[in-house]
Structure formats: C-alpha cells, structure tokens
Amino acid sequence: MKVSSDVYDVSMMIEAIKEVQAVLNAKKYGTFSELDAEVAKTLNPYAPYGDGFERFRMSLTKDAASSSDLQKSCTQMNLLCERRIEDCECSQKDQINDILPFIRNTSRIIVHGSGKLLALAIACSIQEHEGVRFFICEGRPSRKSCPNGSGEALLESILETPEGLRLKDKIREYCVIIPDSGVASIMNNVDFIIMGAYCVTEHGGLVHSTGSFQVATVACSRNVPCYVLCETFKFSHIFPLGTEDLEQPAESTSVVPLVEFVPPSMISLIFSEKGIMPPSAVADEMFRFHTAPLAAWKNK
C-alpha cells in the first residue's frame, strides 16, 4: 500500500483549497462535468497525502451536481472554500485546546514525531503548565528531511513557534531528547505518549515513522495511554495489517523500515480538529463524505 512518508500539516490543505479557488475563478464553465474534471485535476497531485482532499472535493461539488445555475454554484463553492480555509487556520488551535486539559504541571510525556502541530502543542503546553517535562524520541534512522533524527527536527520546530521564541530557555530545560533504545526504561515514569501521524487508516491504525510501533508496544504493555495528533484530512481509505503491507519510500535502503504501522488496539485517543475520538470513530468520520477509492478522476 502506498502512503505518504513526508511530514506535512494543514498548510498543505490550505494550499490545495487556494488552487481550487483559482480554478473556479479562471473561467466560466459550460457544464458541471467540465468544472468537476478541472477541480479533480487540480487535487489529483495531493492524492498520496490522504483521502481528505477527495472528501473535500465531494463536499464542495455535491450540491453543484444537481444545480440548474452553474455560475451561482461556482460562487457558492468559492464561499465554501473561504469557510474551509478559515476552519483550517483555526484547526490547530482547536486540537491543542483539546489536549491541554490532559496535561498537568507535573506531567511527564514521551513524544514521537517531528510535525509542526506537535511542536506547537509542546510549546503551548510549556507556556500553560510550568514544570511539565517532554521526553522527545531521537527518531533514528535519520532521513534527508531530518538528517539528525526527528527529535532534533522537532526541537528546532518548537523553538521556531511564537511561544518557543518567547520561552527559549524553558523549552531547552523542559524538553529532553532521549535515545530510542531508552523508551522502555522510562515508560513507568510517564503519564502518556503523544505521536504525530503520516496518516490514520480507516480502521483507526497509525502510519508513522520508524520507532512508532516500538513506542506503542511498550506503552501498551505498561498500560500507558497513547495519543495521536492528526488532522482529519490525513484519514485514509487503507487497511494495512502490518508494516509489511506498506510501501517504503525510495530512500529506504536498510532492513529497518522508514514507515511503520501501529494497530488501532494500541491507540487510546485521536485528537483531530473535529474533536477527540477513539480509533473506532475514524471510519464514521470518513463515511460522512464517503467516496469510492477507485473514483474515475483518481485514475486519470
């Protein structure tokens, strides 16, 4: 199964929506099929990054298909794009506001990943909760995007956030990079795990970088909750049963995979812009805008 192995965030969805807006305003369309084909063509390059882009297309065009006034529908679609951009710009704040009540001043938390959403969540937590400690997994083996490991990349992203710039000394005091091999030795001393995501599968499993499965396995054996921060556009129509079902990126040359699968049984909660949900609720969220995985536009 082909999955994205890049670290990306909601800014990619905003970029895609703005490209769709440019298509809507480019010319007057004679038929809905012509309009739909152009929108589909615009979103097609984003298909590897999750099915959220296809669901966006379906929600955008579902009313226009039955409308007798195509130009009016284009205007309404533009308004929907504007609202979606506003929602996207607020989505990270919503996710962080959801997870902050789970964090206390005395919390000890293991973090695995390098996304900007994780970085912002950590920076806001340190700002709101004096004394909280984050143990950041070093994230080896390194990749072209993270030559020193995902842990160093995450720490740099934390320091680049507005909160991180103000709290630089506290960030370095409260965030410690730990070797991946040391996760088990400190698991009994932490309150929960926070991980990012490349994507979340339809049955609630996690696709993420090397080390995710190890961290989740140790956490599960110690009854430590494992939380995932992930936008809903990363929810994907795939059902891997294990890491061996995932296609590895081209730069993967060692016996250690660069992309791993974590079963839904090891995930406690998923924090998305739509709220807090258990892994079993992912399919319900995706079926709200159900689309066929083999839709014709994806094959063009």
Side-chain angles (χ1 to χ4, degrees), residues 3-245:
V3 296
S4 171
S5 58
D6 298 325
V7 178
Y8 57 99
D9 61 9
V10 72
S11 61
M12 181 175 288
M13 175 59 84
I14 294 175
E15 179 184 341
I17 296 171
K18 288 182 177 179
E19 289 183 17
V20 169
Q21 280 187 300
V23 168
L24 293 174
N25 298 323
K27 65 178 183 178
K28 290 187 177 181
Y29 296 92
T31 64
F32 169 75
S33 297
E34 181 187 2
L35 170 61
D36 190 46
E38 285 296 320
V39 173
K41 182 180 177 181
T42 302
L43 292 176
N44 198 41
Y46 295 95
Y49 296 99
D51 289 299
F53 298 94
E54 184 181 357
R55 293 195 300 276
F56 166 66
R57 182 186 73 91
M58 293 296 293
S59 65
L60 185 67
T61 60
K62 63 179 180 179
D63 293 330
S66 57
S67 174
S68 58
D69 189 341
L70 189 57
Q71 299 311 315
K72 182 178 178 181
S73 295
C74 285
T75 302
Q76 291 174 340
M77 290 165 70
N78 255 315
L79 291 174
L80 287 173
C81 287
E82 289 293 341
R83 290 173 192 162
R84 186 62 185 271
I85 290 174
E86 290 175 4
D87 290 342
C88 288
E89 290 173 344
C90 297
S91 64
Q92 290 187 332
K93 294 180 181 178
D94 293 338
Q95 288 171 270
I96 292 169
N97 287 336
D98 282 340
I99 201 168
L100 281 178
F102 287 71
I103 300 173
R104 303 184 303 274
N105 292 3
T106 57
S107 293
R108 301 293 181 266
I109 303 163
I110 290 178
V111 182
H112 183 69
S114 60
K116 291 183 180 179
L117 178 59
L118 269 179
L120 189 58
I122 292 172
C124 290
S125 299
I126 292 174
Q127 177 180 260
E128 297 295 323
H129 300 282
E130 182 82 22
V132 63
R133 292 291 191 277
F134 289 96
F135 303 110
I136 302 173
C137 298
E138 65 175 343
R140 298 284 184 172
S142 60
R143 301 185 58 181
K144 291 179 181 178
S145 57
C146 304
N148 297 317
S150 64
E152 287 286 351
L154 178 60
L155 189 56
E156 290 176 8
S157 295
I158 297 170
L159 292 170
E160 290 172 359
T161 63
E163 293 79 9
L165 291 172
R166 293 196 303 269
L167 305 169
K168 188 172 294 186
D169 293 336
K170 288 185 178 180
I171 297 292
R172 296 188 182 281
E173 178 184 353
Y174 296 153
C175 295
V176 178
I177 295 179
I178 62 171
D180 296 328
S181 57
V183 168
S185 62
I186 67 170
M187 189 61 72
N188 285 337
N189 301 321
V190 302
D191 297 285
F192 56 86
I193 313 296
I194 301 178
M195 291 198 282
Y198 291 155
C199 76
V200 171
T201 65
E202 193 164 350
H203 57 317
L206 171 67
V207 177
H208 199 218
S209 57
T210 306
S212 302
F213 184 54
Q214 171 186 274
V215 172
T217 300
V218 176
C220 190
S221 68
R222 293 288 190 268
N223 293 319
V224 175
C226 187
Y227 302 146
V228 173
L229 276 175
C230 178
E231 300 90 343
T232 54
F233 74 85
K234 292 184 180 181
F235 291 0
S236 185
H237 284 290
I238 57 173
F239 290 85
L241 299 179
T243 299
E244 60 275 8
D245 293 331

